[in-house]
């Protein structure tokens, strides 16, 4: 008899490489979580194809069909609950979430961000780090709180910034670490929730 796994809803908007990393991690029978829903706010998100290829339940909740953020967030929340998820993982989900929604998932919603938070919240993290002449970049998985890209840090991975780096080259180096960091963070959160 298998032990009950943590049920994960992954929210995406685009490429879905972090989703794919989580899908791959879940293939290990010893990984403590399973994906019960992949939800995108964009019907054309490439990540939806990865989810379908893995045979996962997929759903689009198109934000354009909702008059305001509250009603969109309510619809997303309902779907997550309907699918029985214990934990929500934002993986390149490009919508700002309302505090009302975030507060329904205290320490049960996590996000991956391509910088060493608290540095470089928001967009264009890599070009900003390069412009500042930083020697190091990285990624952070953190709990989601109403304030964007804040909240307790679960995992950070660092990479060097090398001479000649462009934002694209640096993004690739960081992304490799994101794909390690996100499954690691899910393990840590699972331990926390089951402890
Ligand atoms: C990643 O760099 C992630 O840190 C950021 O958005 C990007 C999503 O990439 N939040 P992907 O869709 O997972 O490939």
């Amino acid at each position: 008899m298998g032990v009950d796994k943590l049920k994960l809803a992954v929210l995406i908007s685009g490429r879905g490489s972090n989703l794919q990393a989580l899908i791959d991690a879940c293939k290990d029978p010893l990984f403590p979580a399973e994906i019960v829903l992949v939800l995108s706010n964009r019907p054309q998100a490439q990540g939806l194809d990865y989810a379908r290829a893995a045979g996962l339940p997929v759903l689009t909740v198109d934000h354009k069909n909702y008059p305001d953020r509250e009603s969109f967030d309510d619809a997303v929340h309902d779907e997550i609950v309907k699918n029985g998820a214990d934990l929500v993982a934002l993986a390149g989900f490009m919508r700002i979430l309302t505090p009302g929604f975030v507060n329904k998932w205290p320490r049960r919603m996590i996000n991956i961000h391509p910088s060493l938070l608290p540095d470089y919240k928001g967009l264009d993290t890599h070009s900003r780090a390069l412009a500042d002449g930083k020697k190091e970049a990285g990624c952070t998985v953190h709990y989601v709180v109403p304030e964007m890209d804040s909240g307790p840090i679960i995992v950070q991975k660092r990479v060097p910034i090398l001479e000649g780096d462009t934002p694209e080259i640096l993004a690739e180096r960081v992304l490799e670490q994101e794909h390690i960091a996100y499954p690691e963070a899910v393990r840590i959160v699972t331990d926390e929730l089951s402890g």
Side-chain angles (χ1 to χ4, degrees):
M1 280 228 302
V3 175
D4 272 359
K5 294 199 176 210
L6 189 87
K7 293 181 171 42
L8 201 59
V10 185
L11 272 50
I12 63 167
S13 296
R15 182 177 56 185
S17 70
N18 280 290
L19 163 67
Q20 184 63 55
L22 290 170
I23 291 172
D24 290 341
C26 289
K27 287 181 189 152
D28 177 350
L30 294 178
F31 193 69
E34 62 181 337
I35 299 172
V36 295
L37 174 67
V38 175
L39 186 152
S40 172
N41 66 307
R42 295 209 180 106
Q44 305 306 335
Q46 193 191 328
L48 288 173
D49 294 335
Y50 297 151
R52 286 191 197 100
L56 295 171
V58 302
L59 195 73
T60 298
V61 180
D62 191 339
H63 59 274
K64 293 193 188 119
N65 296 337
Y66 295 83
D68 49 34
R69 288 192 189 279
E70 283 74 17
S71 54
F72 169 75
D73 284 1
D74 282 349
V76 171
H77 176 75
D78 286 351
E79 291 300 340
I80 297 169
V81 171
K82 218 187 282 173
N83 284 274
D86 307 303
L87 180 70
V88 182
L90 308 179
F93 188 67
M94 300 302 284
R95 297 290 298 169
I96 292 170
L97 298 167
T98 57
F101 176 64
V102 171
N103 288 332
K104 285 180 186 151
W105 296 92
R107 279 184 105 80
R108 283 179 178 265
M109 178 150 46
I110 63 179
N111 178 46
I112 186 153
H113 183 76
S115 79
L116 295 170
L117 289 173
D119 289 349
Y120 307 117
K121 298 176 180 182
L123 298 173
D124 301 324
T125 54
H126 303 307
S127 44
R128 286 152 65 205
L130 288 172
D132 288 347
K134 293 278 183 185
K135 297 274 171 276
E136 243 186 356
C139 63
T140 305
V141 184
H142 63 95
Y143 288 105
V144 176
V145 296
E147 194 189 328
M148 194 183 64
D149 298 330
S150 303
I153 290 171
I154 304 161
V155 171
Q156 271 187 329
K157 299 279 179 201
R158 295 168 181 276
V159 300
I161 293 183
L162 305 175
E163 216 171 303
D165 272 356
T166 61
E168 293 73 26
I169 292 170
L170 180 56
E172 225 171 281
R173 193 177 304 128
V174 172
L175 194 63
E176 243 175 68
Q177 295 304 310
E178 293 188 35
H179 298 161
I180 299 168
Y182 220 165
E184 205 174 297
V186 170
R187 280 180 191 276
I188 292 171
V189 173
T190 308
D191 279 354
E192 188 185 289
L193 289 174
S194 63

